[in-house]
Amino acid sequence: MNRLIAKRAAGLLVAAWVMVSPCALATSISAGNADGPVDVLTNLQFNSATLGTSAMSLLSSSATQTMAADPTTLNIPGWSFGSQSGGTLLVAKTTPPPVSGDSSYALEAVYPASTTGAQYTWANFSVASLNTEDVYIEFWAKMPDAKEGCKFLKIFGKRSDPEGDADTTFGPDYTASANHGGFDNVGFGDGSGIRNDYQDVIDLDGANPTYIGASYGIAKVLTPQMSDWPASNWGTSWHHFKVHVKFNGVTSSGQQMADGEIYIAIDGKVYVDATGLYNRNPENGPIDYIEFGGWAQTDPEPFDVWFDNITISTGGFVSDSSPTAPTNVTAN
């Protein structure tokens, strides 16, 4: 494997692009395989390189998580941050494993208790200018206190109406299920409706194979763990997520091709590896942006979700070995 490192953007955000030789590509068909040269679009960490002098001064004034910076004041290329309806988005101190006692900073989405929903936080990265239908996403997340549900990760395609719908959603369960706060499925639309939001699902435990809608009988859907990811797995520590979403293609005549892909791995274990999907509507365009955090609904306890070391790329995943927990000591 050949790797070439280069700066993609000047200023606060430093990224890299990696060329993968064709002979290094995996031969087995998997949605986790690289499908071209790996181009890193962003690597989001919070440290002196991204926070700036004033935010670092604020955060450094406290030895605990009592001080926080407002991410909306940061000018990070491609990113937008915000919150509403009771949600709060912060950059706060934390001590991620395995470097015990080594302070660092991460993105914290804070949600109050609610039985009706409506709390909202967002950290959005735009890929609109690329006109791509294919993104690879890697990040660390933790939910150290109450285990509740939110949208967590959403991939939005370009569209004019309705603007609030995502084409793919992967998040911890916010219903009154036995796995409240854990991961049960990934939702998507098969293109049968213009909204194309959460009409179809792939269950992580392999149940309900017909729930993939128009893709049933066509797609190859693997769920290697044959198990949900239980809420108890969160504990108080960080967990590593790898997600690949490829929208299915559309011919020049507007007909869909069954070549969409969804891949999900948590802490090195593959939970979903699906190829040959219908997972977009021809009226919806390429990928617009990726959202972290999102809406929280029907959560009886206040909770917070942390995100760190977010890497978004095209062509393939950046990591090709076992991940290590984020330390945020220096900028990548």
Side-chain angles (χ1 to χ4, degrees), residues 88-119:
T88 306
L89 193 67
L90 306 168
V91 177
K93 278 191 173 181
T94 185
T95 307
V99 187
S100 178
D102 189 3
S103 295
S104 60
Y105 313 98
L107 194 66
E108 181 185 16
V110 181
Y111 297 95
S114 173
T115 57
T116 59
Q119 301 87 2

Side-chain angles (χ1 to χ4, degrees), residues 33-149:
N33 290 348
D35 54 22
V38 180
D39 188 356
V40 176
L41 308 177
T42 185
N43 173 229
L44 184 66
Q45 297 187 52
F46 294 96
N47 44 55
S48 58
T50 54
L51 290 172
T53 304
S54 60
M56 282 297 295
S57 176
L58 173 64
L59 288 163
S60 299
S61 65
S62 173
T64 64
Q65 189 189 310
T66 57
M67 302 294 285
D70 180 359
T72 63
T73 64
L74 303 177
N75 182 22
I76 304 177
W79 284 92
S80 62
F81 306 95
S83 60
Q84 67 184 59
S85 304
T88 306
L89 193 67
L90 306 168
V91 177
K93 278 191 173 181
T94 185
T95 307
V99 187
S100 178
D102 189 3
S103 295
S104 60
Y105 313 98
L107 194 66
E108 181 185 16
V110 181
Y111 297 95
S114 173
T115 57
T116 59
Q119 301 87 2
Y120 189 26
T121 73
W122 67 88
N124 296 347
F125 183 74
S126 174
V127 296
S129 63
L130 300 180
N131 288 318
T132 184
E133 297 173 338
D134 196 348
V135 290
Y136 292 77
I137 306 163
E138 300 181 58
F139 62 98
W140 289 85
K142 65 177 179 178
M143 192 184 295
D145 299 312
K147 315 309 178 191
E148 301 291 347

Side-chain angles (χ1 to χ4, degrees), residues 124-214:
N124 296 347
F125 183 74
S126 174
V127 296
S129 63
L130 300 180
N131 288 318
T132 184
E133 297 173 338
D134 196 348
V135 290
Y136 292 77
I137 306 163
E138 300 181 58
F139 62 98
W140 289 85
K142 65 177 179 178
M143 192 184 295
D145 299 312
K147 315 309 178 191
E148 301 291 347
C150 63
K151 297 299 185 180
F152 193 69
L153 175 66
K154 303 185 79 168
I155 293 87
F156 289 82
K158 293 182 180 180
R159 65 186 71 194
S160 58
D161 181 56
E163 295 182 353
D165 291 332
D167 291 273
T168 306
T169 302
F170 178 61
D173 188 359
Y174 55 77
T175 68
S177 73
N179 195 28
H180 189 82
F183 294 91
D184 300 326
N185 58 54
V186 56
F188 62 98
D190 63 9
S192 56
I194 188 63
R195 297 198 64 169
N196 208 59
D197 189 22
Y198 211 122
Q199 294 86 7
D200 307 293
V201 298
I202 297 173
D203 287 321
L204 272 58
D205 64 0
N208 306 307
T210 62
Y211 284 11
I212 61 175

Side-chain angles (χ1 to χ4, degrees), residues 233-308:
N233 277 6
W234 280 114
T236 59
S237 61
W238 289 95
H239 299 275
H240 186 254
F241 293 80
K242 296 175 72 173
V243 178
H244 172 216
V245 172
K246 175 189 175 185
F247 287 178
N248 68 268
V250 180
T251 67
S252 58
S253 61
Q255 298 299 310
Q256 294 194 81
M257 297 182 289
D259 59 353
E261 299 181 355
I262 296 177
Y263 176 92
I264 296 171
I266 308 175
D267 294 331
K269 294 183 178 180
V270 179
Y271 281 81
V272 173
D273 188 348
T275 57
L277 292 171
Y278 290 117
N279 62 343
R280 64 97 59 82
N281 187 290
E283 298 298 320
N284 298 331
I287 297 173
D288 190 7
Y289 63 96
I290 298 101
E291 179 182 87
F292 298 85
W295 290 99
Q297 298 174 255
T298 59
D299 293 305
E301 297 180 277
F303 71 105
D304 56 299
V305 183
W306 295 73
F307 297 95
D308 203 5

